[in-house]
Amino acid sequence: MNNKQIGTKLYNVGVSYKKADVETRSAFSLSKQKQISLLKDAKSKGIDGVMVVSTCNRTEITGFAKHPFELISLLCEHSNGTVEEFVRFSNIYKGSEAIQHLFNIGTGLESQILGDYEIVGQLKQAYQLAQKYGAINTYLERLMNSVLQASKDVKNNTELSSGTTSVAYAATQYIIENVDNYNSKRVLVYGLGEIGKNACKNLIEYTENTNIHLINRTHSKAMEFAEAHQNVAINTFENLDVEIEDADILIVSTGAELPTITAKHIHHNKKLLVLDLSMPENVAKEVKSFENITLINVDELSKITDKTLERRQAEIPKAQEIINKHKQEFAYWLDHRKFTPAVNALKISLQSIQEDEINFHQKKIEGFNTEHAEQITSRIIQKITTQFVKHLKDENTSVDQSIEIVSKIFNATL
């Protein structure tokens, strides 16, 4: 632990789907630019080691602080959320709990839909963004590498992510279960981010619908997607109103900070199913009050469960075993990192005593064998430092207290 981290602890603070509804999560949501501003602000305030994740299901900061309020303040300053809201809907994890929480997120155990691995990519991006702006310290770097390795092992060695279950898939499943003759309905997908792409792919794969239409603000992206996928028609953003009027189902995944679909886009006399996959919500709330409109948001879609989730539930113990293995490896690294300066300092102190004693006996004893004395005393030093390491690693040892006592005895800065 470096000087900046003295007196600090690892915390994870934030809001998630577990306590906060869509509206509250939207208030705390952070765009990429806001995340960058937060990271820069954290550095300017002397916070050593911090990263931020903001998705449709959670916004969380992980970092070192003397008190969690340092991180909470950052979150509230850079989002539209208030401290009062945070207190009501937040999660705060400290130390080992924060570590466990990151492992759970990275392996899909904390996903709103169990085993959903979309969060893993988002976690990697958050880590890389913090690295880019110099906000990651050695501790967080090693921890995130362990989390991502555990994530890979869980994905490869369990069926926790078997089947296809995500918000985009849940939208398709909702259509299949609730819309008569869904294969013949005209579907408009508005927005071609990652979720929008997945929604289109799922519609093509699971519904065999050949009447899928796509609009994206950047038309070239829509053209590129349509070239790679048959049965998808594209139109320009300027024709959004016309496409909505013709649609039976509207899927919105635009990822904007304010609603992109408002009352002016909706024709009241036409029956329309609207699925809002965006976070913050991109469909204005007033739309829900229209008589012929059915508006479904992320929270409602996430309630959909199937046999896939039952199968995934049975895989949780296997995932936890893998997590425990990687946590132990991280703990070993952490212990070694913590002990090394203390052990090295003790060794240097003992070597100084060794040198003084050998010099003393060289002057006092005629024919004194310096080489033999160095060999014997070096072995003694090695045995002492080895015993010290064993003592520090004992789970019943108070590490800080032991280091302080040895420091006083040998007058060494450990």
Side-chain angles (χ1 to χ4, degrees), residues 1 33 76 116 123 151 155 186 204 307-308 312 373 400:
M1 187 169 286
Q33 193 53 52
C76 294
D116 183 4
L123 198 59
S151 173
K155 190 171 180 65
R186 185 180 177 108
I204 294 167
K307 291 181 180 178
T308 298
R312 291 182 179 188
D400 293 340

Side-chain angles (χ1 to χ4, degrees), residues 11-16 20 24-31 34-39 41-42 45 47 50-55 58-63 65 67-92:
Y11 289 98
N12 173 281
V13 304
V15 296
S16 77
T24 304
R25 299 201 306 274
S26 296
F28 285 97
S29 181
L30 296 167
S31 65
K34 286 183 177 179
Q35 291 174 42
I36 292 170
S37 297
L38 187 151
L39 293 171
D41 192 13
K45 291 177 178 176
I47 295 176
V50 64
M51 59 179 282
V52 56
V53 175
S54 188
T55 73
R58 68 183 74 249
T59 297
E60 299 180 351
I61 301 176
T62 301
H67 191 279
F69 191 73
E70 293 177 56
L71 303 181
I72 296 166
S73 296
L74 280 172
L75 178 55
C76 294
E77 286 168 16
H78 291 273
S79 71
N80 295 321
T82 65
V83 173
E84 290 74 22
E85 287 175 313
F86 184 88
V87 170
R88 288 176 62 198
F89 300 109
S90 66
N91 294 300
I92 299 175

Side-chain angles (χ1 to χ4, degrees), residues 392-403:
L392 292 176
K393 287 184 176 181
D394 189 300
E395 61 181 17
N396 296 318
T397 296
S398 171
V399 175
D400 293 340
Q401 187 178 30
S402 296
I403 290 174

Side-chain angles (χ1 to χ4, degrees), residues 330-341 392-393 399:
F330 176 71
Y332 179 82
W333 171 83
L334 196 59
D335 285 345
H336 183 74
R337 178 172 176 256
K338 188 193 300 181
F339 299 156
T340 298
L392 292 176
K393 287 184 176 181
V399 175

